[in-house]
Amino acid sequence: MLHEIQGSHIIAQTPFDDRGAVDAASIDSLVAFYLKHGADGFVVGGVSGEGGKLTAAEAELVTRRFIAGAAGKPVIVGVSNPGTAQLAQLTAQAMDLGAAGVMIAPPAGLRTEEELLSYFATVFGLIGDVPVVLQDFPGSTGVWMSVPSILKLIEAHPQIQVVKQEDLPSLEKISRLRAGGGRRVAILTGNNGLYLPQELGRGIDGPMAGFSHPEMLSGVWRLHQKGEVEAAHDLFDCYLPLLNYEAQGFWGVAARKEVLRRRGAIRHATMRQPGPKLTARHQAELDLLVRRVERAVAARG
Amino acid sequence: MLHEIQGSHIIAQTPFDDRGAVDAASIDSLVAFYLKHGADGFVVGGVSGEGGKLTAAEAELVTRRFIAGAAGKPVIVGVSNPGTAQLAQLTAQAMDLGAAGVMIAPPAGLRTEEELLSYFATVFGLIGDVPVVLQDFPGSTGVWMSVPSILKLIEAHPQIQVVKQEDLPSLEKISRLRAGGGRRVAILTGNNGLYLPQELGRGIDGPMAGFSHPEMLSGVWRLHQKGEVEAAHDLFDCYLPLLNYEAQGFWGVAARKEVLRRRGAIRHATMRQPGPKLTARHQAELDLLVRRVERAVAARG
Amino acid sequence: MLHEIQGSHIIAQTPFDDRGAVDAASIDSLVAFYLKHGADGFVVGGVSGEGGKLTAAEAELVTRRFIAGAAGKPVIVGVSNPGTAQLAQLTAQAMDLGAAGVMIAPPAGLRTEEELLSYFATVFGLIGDVPVVLQDFPGSTGVWMSVPSILKLIEAHPQIQVVKQEDLPSLEKISRLRAGGGRRVAILTGNNGLYLPQELGRGIDGPMAGFSHPEMLSGVWRLHQKGEVEAAHDLFDCYLPLLNYEAQGFWGVAARKEVLRRRGAIRHATMRQPGPKLTARHQAELDLLVRRVERAVAARG
Amino acid sequence: MLHEIQGSHIIAQTPFDDRGAVDAASIDSLVAFYLKHGADGFVVGGVSGEGGKLTAAEAELVTRRFIAGAAGKPVIVGVSNPGTAQLAQLTAQAMDLGAAGVMIAPPAGLRTEEELLSYFATVFGLIGDVPVVLQDFPGSTGVWMSVPSILKLIEAHPQIQVVKQEDLPSLEKISRLRAGGGRRVAILTGNNGLYLPQELGRGIDGPMAGFSHPEMLSGVWRLHQKGEVEAAHDLFDCYLPLLNYEAQGFWGVAARKEVLRRRGAIRHATMRQPGPKLTARHQAELDLLVRRVERAVAARG
């Protein structure tokens, strides 16, 4: 069941070839790369996965291919859509393809708790009994959900089995969700994992984020599970300078794809237009940061 | 050619039956109603037409049916979409179905002229040689386009043949677009037609709006064309109290559908969820306003 | 007591001379003009009164002069401020000058009910026992307050004696606030009075708006009080075309000041910079609208 | 001259005592602490300095006291204000008190380049010949200034001597401003210094940021000046986990004040209401992070 989900869930990149077409072969190598580095599950169709740039047919292809490669690990599909009818259709399609659940963020334009509760009553009425990750990402959606509002949604809709918490600052919000009582859901956190050690201390069930070095996400999670808090910090700090660099919006995604390419996970670092293109200066910044990360990891032993 | 477009272009409602399904028979009666009251063209898939609530298959059905009934008048299809690949696909589909062109608004999140120009360079590269209505509707999109920016877009992209101007206040913007020189495009105005007499005085080519009494839109246009400015104001003022009532966002759309139902244009006033439902109080307000409009129109003779 | 406030409350313009300085003599003539046309009270320092363009010393002068001329009618002072310490200081000063109360809107940036309740707990703790108009104007502030949130604020803070309701669409919100139970507060409505007849039918206690013809605001109010609903609509409709023209943001305010100048209420129509300047085209539009309003009012007899 | 400004400029905190009053004695110790750790200048009245919570009299006191303690280093005063008359008055007051210049961000609500250029033409006309830091901080103001817009402002207004660049992602923007030609201005960067090493590589003249360990800001700057890029990264990376923690909006500011208190720079960590209060959990997170930073710095030798 999704509400017992744990561990390191990867917001997967969508690989494109040098002409901008979906690169299906690179999906296979990418999912293998993620699994090799400890992934416990995947999200496709997310914002940083460039899900919004895909046609319906491409989105289906990407989902199908990820599920095929995922070795049974759960694949969650982002289905947020300004239209509820389209959202319901995308949800049905995702579940037909074998997804473990869908991820839904409220659409831009909801402004009060009433509008929020009304929106989700419509949505959950339409999609039926499907496991849902409720995404709390106001920096992207412009919709702010308070802790009491989220708790009301959880109580009203048993489909919500996970909250993806990426409202910055996240720490108090996590503590209050955990203290809120009611039905237990899993809490995973995004925001590129920038506060992962503290978030684990606040009681989350793992990261749900993208990074060029997914071994950091899974490694920090496993060390924390074993109670080795200082070691988890040590590992996290080795990667933090690069993680921070990859947190620069779509420029960060471009950097991440370039590092994934260098590591052999995908064949091309192409981002579909409209999107940024790295310059020589960015490449030099990445050279330095990656070299320093490798040195720090090696020194840690 | 679309850049010579003139007259009264209707932002068409989408009729739903009492269970919320698209009511195809009501499309036929609605388009006939619009034509009978002087429509010179149509827009389907717009915001107030609830285009965002349709699945892809429904949107195709609605477009097809409107074009079938339009008696050769131009039908423009709204294809704005956060994803450029999807936008291109919707555009190709609309043109295949026989649309006269497509309407595109910039997506939420564009913030500077540079981002705007870059976005449309991508879009116009993808869609090819298709006649486009550029929609300037910042109250809905959150994207503000200055007059110089719009003029740059017109010069760069010959596909832009019409500007739908609905940035409030609209009057100076219309005057400045007209004074801007460069290639001539048609300018049509939305905003429910609330400033139609003044906008006509500023040099627009007609309204592109929705209203339960489309005879006002076409009537004011034709009187103004004949130079009968006072008579155009007289006609407009008869309807203004109801027009103002229908300008209340989606509540106004619900009122408009109810009046269209009362007039026999559609069978049901249903709005698809999520959307407002009129109360007895609203019905009484409409009773009074419609009665007063009818009296004023009759008194005018 | 402010919670028993009724009638027509004018959002007062601030007159400037042709060099942009506060024109104190015009304040005296303006307040006399408002009183002559039926004003039951005033608000100074509001958004459309250009309160945000005044220095502290100027704001004090304007408040003092309005109170001096108001013949004992209540003067409410807008004190919204991003800083709570400054807000408290402005409140104390306004009450010292003889204001009947202050008007407070939540500052931009509040996003959830929790933040809202917390903000006002701080504010009401600081200002003490002062009568307050709570301004619900999300189009300007970007802060959306739901009906349950407003009712919670009313229950928590006895200082709130009036709600100025100008969230568009306003009608259902008014009905729900009135049906909400709890302590009764006055409800006055802004939004340039565009929905005044319907709002009166929903149970408000009067308009709180600006208009170049304040006799419309007081006249509609008094007719409605006497139960003459059709007559109230008749009067309203005479003015609606001009009212609608004055509803064009700061362009509308510029038009309003020009009409007030033409009517002898103020000596100069100057708006302080930054602000719009009417062109010859605007003047011609106003000529036509004012002439038509005068004709309609005369025809009504 | 301000356009030759370089080095580490501190966004200064405002110390409050345990009752929330300005703690003047702590200003003296705080400025001494900053100087001891390498500050080359100061900004008072900034967002993270809680400038928006001060009354006019308090703001004057804080400015006066900072200038008195600054040992001749330049003190810049934040004077952004929604009202241009108030902004002009604050500017005159700051310069009278001995400020080296003022910092101005465009107010919320400006949406196109035209509005931006018009706003600053008004402002620079009012304030006269005063050295200005133009603050580019869209995450706080909601106003996006493109590189061409900023270059136009620099050419039009010789008062602009510094650009404070804190539009995230910042790196390409810095490179493009530097490549933009025209009159040279200093570029300093905010955003808590999170990208300081890369920003220095892009050609900035130093940080303009707050941090509980200002020796990092000055140290990284000086190492970079000497061409010791790897050493600059080494130093930066020691502090990055804590820097990242202090980047959590006003929660981060609360953490920063607490660490400044622990280090003896101020007597109380109080934030003025409304503002967050650290919990025992936050204190424990800070204990761990500070201990780790100290260990890393010591290990570096």
Side-chain angles (χ1 to χ4, degrees):
Chain A
M1 295 300 291
L2 219 50
H3 72 270
E4 293 175 342
I5 204 172
Q6 280 194 330
S8 171
H9 295 264
I10 304 298
I11 302 289
Q13 300 310 131
T14 305
F16 299 103
D17 66 21
D18 46 9
R19 294 163 306 113
V22 172
D23 178 359
S26 280
I27 295 179
D28 301 341
S29 56
L30 180 62
V31 71
F33 173 88
Y34 286 142
L35 288 169
K36 178 178 145 196
H37 290 97
D40 297 305
F42 302 96
V43 179
V44 297
V47 172
S48 64
E50 300 177 80
K53 300 177 187 170
L54 303 178
T55 66
E58 290 170 333
E60 183 181 332
L61 165 69
V62 169
T63 299
R64 195 183 295 278
R65 200 91 177 203
F66 260 100
I67 290 173
K73 306 278 184 184
V75 175
I76 290 161
V77 178
V79 296
S80 303
N81 194 289
T84 49
Q86 291 189 43
L87 186 155
Q89 204 171 49
L90 291 168
T91 299
Q93 186 189 62
M95 300 310 289
D96 283 350
L97 292 172
V102 297
M103 182 158 75
I104 304 176
L110 299 181
R111 295 177 298 210
T112 62
E113 185 182 82
E114 285 198 312
E115 292 178 355
L116 185 74
L117 300 181
S118 164
Y119 172 78
F120 277 110
T122 299
V123 162
F124 285 112
L126 285 172
I127 65 174
D129 188 21
V130 167
V132 167
V133 179
L134 175 66
Q135 186 179 21
D136 181 22
F137 191 14
S140 172
T141 61
V143 179
W144 270 262
M145 301 192 281
S146 68
V147 170
S149 295
I150 295 173
L151 294 172
K152 283 181 197 174
L153 286 171
I154 292 170
E155 286 316 301
H157 304 293
Q159 295 108 317
I160 300 176
Q161 301 196 2
V162 183
V163 171
K164 183 178 185 199
Q165 177 47 248
E166 44 189 337
D167 180 1
L168 277 180
S170 59
L171 301 181
E172 273 307 281
K173 203 162 187 179
I174 294 165
S175 293
R176 294 182 57 209
L177 281 172
R178 272 288 165 256
R183 183 168 58 84
R184 192 188 193 280
V185 297
I187 301 177
L188 303 176
T189 52
N191 283 317
N192 296 292
L194 278 171
Y195 297 96
L196 183 54
Q198 287 84 18
E199 290 168 341
L200 288 166
R202 300 283 186 142
I204 68 164
D205 300 290
M208 184 179 261
F211 187 33
S212 63
H213 289 70
E215 60 268 41
M216 182 281 281
L217 299 171
S218 51
V220 169
W221 158 254
R222 287 186 225 300
L223 287 167
H224 197 275
Q225 278 294 92
K226 290 193 282 180
E228 301 182 19
V229 173
E230 286 283 339
H233 273 274
D234 289 344
L235 183 62
F236 179 81
D237 288 357
C238 291
Y239 291 94
L240 181 54
L242 179 60
L243 190 70
N244 188 41
Y245 194 85
E246 290 188 21
Q248 297 180 85
F250 277 111
W251 283 104
V253 174
R256 180 176 302 158
K257 288 186 104 166
E258 168 60 12
V259 179
L260 288 168
R261 187 197 64 78
R262 293 182 185 189
R263 299 186 80 191
I266 55 179
R267 292 186 300 185
H268 304 276
T270 315
M271 291 190 69
R272 186 169 267 193
Q273 289 309 302
K277 281 186 192 152
L278 300 184
T279 63
R281 171 64 75 174
H282 288 106
Q283 295 284 358
E285 289 163 349
L286 276 177
D287 290 346
L288 183 147
L289 286 171
V290 170
R291 193 178 64 237
R292 291 178 58 87
V293 163
E294 287 170 354
R295 197 167 59 204
V297 172
R300 192 170 158 273
Chain B
M1 295 299 291
L2 220 49
H3 72 272
E4 293 173 344
I5 204 172
Q6 279 194 328
S8 172
H9 296 264
I10 304 298
I11 302 289
Q13 301 309 131
T14 304
F16 298 103
D17 66 22
D18 47 8
R19 295 164 304 112
V22 172
D23 177 359
S26 280
I27 296 180
D28 300 341
S29 55
L30 180 61
V31 70
F33 173 88
Y34 286 143
L35 287 170
K36 178 177 146 198
H37 291 96
D40 297 305
F42 302 95
V43 178
V44 298
V47 173
S48 63
E50 301 177 80
K53 299 177 187 170
L54 304 176
T55 65
E58 290 170 332
E60 184 182 332
L61 164 69
V62 169
T63 300
R64 195 183 295 278
R65 199 92 177 202
F66 259 100
I67 290 174
K73 306 276 184 188
V75 176
I76 291 161
V77 179
V79 297
S80 302
N81 195 288
T84 50
Q86 291 190 43
L87 187 157
Q89 205 170 49
L90 292 168
T91 298
Q93 186 190 61
M95 299 311 290
D96 283 351
L97 293 172
V102 297
M103 183 158 74
I104 305 176
L110 298 182
R111 295 178 297 209
T112 62
E113 185 182 83
E114 287 198 311
E115 291 177 356
L116 185 73
L117 300 181
S118 164
Y119 173 78
F120 277 110
T122 298
V123 162
F124 285 113
L126 284 171
I127 66 174
D129 189 20
V130 167
V132 168
V133 179
L134 176 65
Q135 185 180 23
D136 181 22
F137 191 15
S140 171
T141 61
V143 179
W144 271 262
M145 300 192 280
S146 68
V147 170
S149 295
I150 294 173
L151 293 172
K152 282 180 199 176
L153 286 171
I154 291 170
E155 287 315 301
H157 304 294
Q159 294 109 317
I160 300 177
Q161 301 195 3
V162 183
V163 171
K164 183 178 186 198
Q165 178 47 249
E166 46 189 335
D167 180 1
L168 277 181
S170 59
L171 302 181
E172 274 307 281
K173 204 163 188 180
I174 292 165
S175 293
R176 294 180 58 208
L177 280 172
R178 271 287 166 257
R183 185 166 59 83
R184 191 188 192 281
V185 296
I187 302 177
L188 303 175
T189 51
N191 284 317
N192 297 292
L194 278 171
Y195 297 96
L196 183 55
Q198 288 84 17
E199 290 168 341
L200 288 167
R202 301 282 186 144
I204 67 164
D205 300 291
M208 184 178 261
F211 187 33
S212 62
H213 289 70
E215 59 268 42
M216 183 281 282
L217 299 172
S218 51
V220 170
W221 159 252
R222 287 186 227 300
L223 287 168
H224 197 274
Q225 278 294 92
K226 291 194 280 180
E228 301 181 21
V229 173
E230 286 284 339
H233 273 276
D234 289 344
L235 184 63
F236 180 81
D237 289 356
C238 291
Y239 291 94
L240 181 54
L242 180 60
L243 190 70
N244 189 41
Y245 194 85
E246 291 188 20
Q248 298 180 84
F250 277 111
W251 283 103
V253 173
R256 179 175 303 159
K257 289 185 104 165
E258 167 60 11
V259 180
L260 287 168
R261 187 197 64 74
R262 294 183 184 187
R263 300 187 77 192
I266 54 179
R267 293 187 298 186
H268 303 276
T270 316
M271 291 191 68
R272 185 168 268 192
Q273 291 308 303
K277 280 185 191 153
L278 300 184
T279 62
R281 171 63 76 173
H282 288 106
Q283 295 284 359
E285 289 163 349
L286 276 178
D287 291 345
L288 182 146
L289 286 172
V290 170
R291 194 178 64 235
R292 291 178 58 87
V293 163
E294 287 170 355
R295 197 167 59 203
V297 171
R300 191 171 158 272
Chain C
M1 294 301 292
L2 220 49
H3 73 271
E4 292 174 342
I5 205 171
Q6 278 195 331
S8 172
H9 296 264
I10 304 298
I11 302 290
Q13 300 310 131
T14 305
F16 298 103
D17 67 21
D18 45 10
R19 295 163 305 115
V22 172
D23 177 0
S26 281
I27 296 179
D28 300 342
S29 55
L30 180 62
V31 70
F33 174 89
Y34 286 142
L35 287 170
K36 178 178 146 197
H37 291 96
D40 297 307
F42 302 96
V43 178
V44 297
V47 172
S48 64
E50 301 177 81
K53 300 177 186 169
L54 303 177
T55 64
E58 290 171 332
E60 183 182 332
L61 164 69
V62 170
T63 300
R64 194 183 295 277
R65 200 91 178 203
F66 260 100
I67 290 174
K73 306 277 184 186
V75 175
I76 290 161
V77 179
V79 296
S80 302
N81 194 287
T84 48
Q86 290 190 42
L87 187 156
Q89 204 171 49
L90 291 168
T91 298
Q93 186 189 61
M95 299 311 289
D96 283 350
L97 292 173
V102 297
M103 183 158 74
I104 305 176
L110 298 181
R111 293 175 302 208
T112 62
E113 185 182 82
E114 285 198 311
E115 291 177 356
L116 185 72
L117 300 181
S118 163
Y119 172 78
F120 277 111
T122 299
V123 162
F124 285 113
L126 284 171
I127 65 173
D129 188 21
V130 167
V132 168
V133 179
L134 175 66
Q135 186 180 21
D136 180 22
F137 192 14
S140 171
T141 61
V143 180
W144 271 262
M145 300 192 282
S146 69
V147 170
S149 296
I150 294 173
L151 293 172
K152 282 181 197 173
L153 286 172
I154 291 170
E155 287 315 302
H157 304 293
Q159 293 109 317
I160 300 178
Q161 302 197 1
V162 183
V163 171
K164 183 179 185 197
Q165 177 47 250
E166 46 190 334
D167 180 1
L168 278 180
S170 59
L171 301 181
E172 274 307 281
K173 204 163 187 179
I174 293 166
S175 293
R176 294 181 58 211
L177 281 172
R178 271 286 166 258
R183 184 165 60 83
R184 192 188 193 278
V185 297
I187 302 178
L188 303 175
T189 52
N191 284 315
N192 296 293
L194 278 170
Y195 297 96
L196 182 56
Q198 288 84 19
E199 290 168 341
L200 289 166
R202 300 283 185 142
I204 67 163
D205 300 292
M208 185 179 260
F211 187 32
S212 62
H213 290 68
E215 59 268 41
M216 183 280 281
L217 300 171
S218 50
V220 170
W221 159 252
R222 287 186 227 299
L223 287 167
H224 198 274
Q225 279 293 92
K226 289 193 283 180
E228 302 182 20
V229 172
E230 286 285 338
H233 273 275
D234 289 342
L235 183 63
F236 179 81
D237 289 357
C238 291
Y239 291 95
L240 181 54
L242 179 60
L243 190 70
N244 189 40
Y245 194 85
E246 290 187 22
Q248 297 181 84
F250 277 111
W251 284 103
V253 174
R256 179 174 304 158
K257 289 186 105 168
E258 168 60 11
V259 180
L260 288 169
R261 186 198 64 77
R262 294 183 185 188
R263 300 187 79 192
I266 55 179
R267 293 187 299 185
H268 304 276
T270 315
M271 291 191 68
R272 186 169 267 192
Q273 289 311 302
K277 281 186 193 153
L278 300 184
T279 63
R281 172 63 76 174
H282 289 105
Q283 295 285 358
E285 289 163 350
L286 276 178
D287 290 346
L288 184 145
L289 286 171
V290 169
R291 195 179 62 237
R292 291 178 58 86
V293 162
E294 287 169 357
R295 199 166 58 204
V297 171
R300 192 172 157 273
Chain D
M1 295 299 291
L2 220 51
H3 72 271
E4 292 174 343
I5 204 171
Q6 278 194 330
S8 172
H9 296 264
I10 304 299
I11 302 289
Q13 301 309 131
T14 304
F16 299 103
D17 66 22
D18 45 10
R19 293 162 306 114
V22 172
D23 177 359
S26 279
I27 295 180
D28 301 341
S29 56
L30 179 61
V31 71
F33 173 88
Y34 286 143
L35 287 170
K36 178 178 147 197
H37 290 97
D40 297 306
F42 303 95
V43 178
V44 298
V47 172
S48 63
E50 301 177 79
K53 299 177 188 169
L54 303 178
T55 65
E58 290 170 333
E60 184 182 331
L61 163 69
V62 169
T63 300
R64 196 184 294 279
R65 199 92 178 201
F66 259 101
I67 290 174
K73 306 278 183 185
V75 175
I76 290 162
V77 178
V79 296
S80 302
N81 195 287
T84 49
Q86 291 189 42
L87 186 155
Q89 204 170 49
L90 292 168
T91 299
Q93 185 188 62
M95 299 310 290
D96 282 351
L97 292 173
V102 297
M103 183 158 75
I104 304 176
L110 299 181
R111 294 176 299 209
T112 62
E113 186 183 81
E114 285 197 312
E115 291 178 355
L116 185 73
L117 300 182
S118 165
Y119 172 77
F120 277 110
T122 298
V123 162
F124 285 113
L126 284 171
I127 66 173
D129 189 21
V130 167
V132 167
V133 179
L134 175 66
Q135 186 180 20
D136 181 22
F137 191 16
S140 171
T141 61
V143 180
W144 270 262
M145 301 192 280
S146 69
V147 170
S149 295
I150 294 173
L151 293 172
K152 283 180 197 174
L153 285 171
I154 291 170
E155 287 314 301
H157 303 293
Q159 294 108 317
I160 300 177
Q161 301 197 3
V162 183
V163 171
K164 185 181 184 194
Q165 178 48 249
E166 45 190 336
D167 180 2
L168 277 181
S170 59
L171 301 181
E172 274 307 280
K173 203 162 188 181
I174 293 165
S175 293
R176 293 181 58 209
L177 281 172
R178 272 285 166 257
R183 183 166 60 82
R184 191 188 194 280
V185 297
I187 301 177
L188 304 175
T189 53
N191 284 317
N192 297 293
L194 278 170
Y195 297 96
L196 184 56
Q198 288 84 17
E199 290 169 340
L200 289 166
R202 300 282 185 143
I204 66 164
D205 300 291
M208 184 180 260
F211 187 32
S212 63
H213 290 68
E215 60 267 42
M216 183 281 280
L217 299 171
S218 50
V220 168
W221 158 253
R222 287 186 224 301
L223 287 167
H224 197 274
Q225 278 293 93
K226 290 194 282 180
E228 301 181 21
V229 172
E230 286 285 338
H233 274 275
D234 290 343
L235 183 62
F236 179 82
D237 289 357
C238 291
Y239 292 94
L240 181 54
L242 179 60
L243 190 69
N244 189 40
Y245 194 85
E246 291 187 21
Q248 297 181 85
F250 277 111
W251 284 103
V253 174
R256 180 174 303 157
K257 287 185 107 167
E258 167 61 10
V259 179
L260 287 169
R261 187 197 63 77
R262 295 184 184 187
R263 299 186 79 192
I266 54 179
R267 292 188 298 184
H268 304 276
T270 315
M271 291 190 70
R272 187 170 266 193
Q273 289 311 302
K277 282 189 191 151
L278 300 183
T279 62
R281 171 63 77 173
H282 289 107
Q283 296 285 359
E285 289 163 351
L286 276 178
D287 291 347
L288 182 146
L289 286 171
V290 170
R291 193 178 65 236
R292 290 178 59 87
V293 163
E294 287 170 356
R295 196 167 60 204
V297 172
R300 192 171 158 272

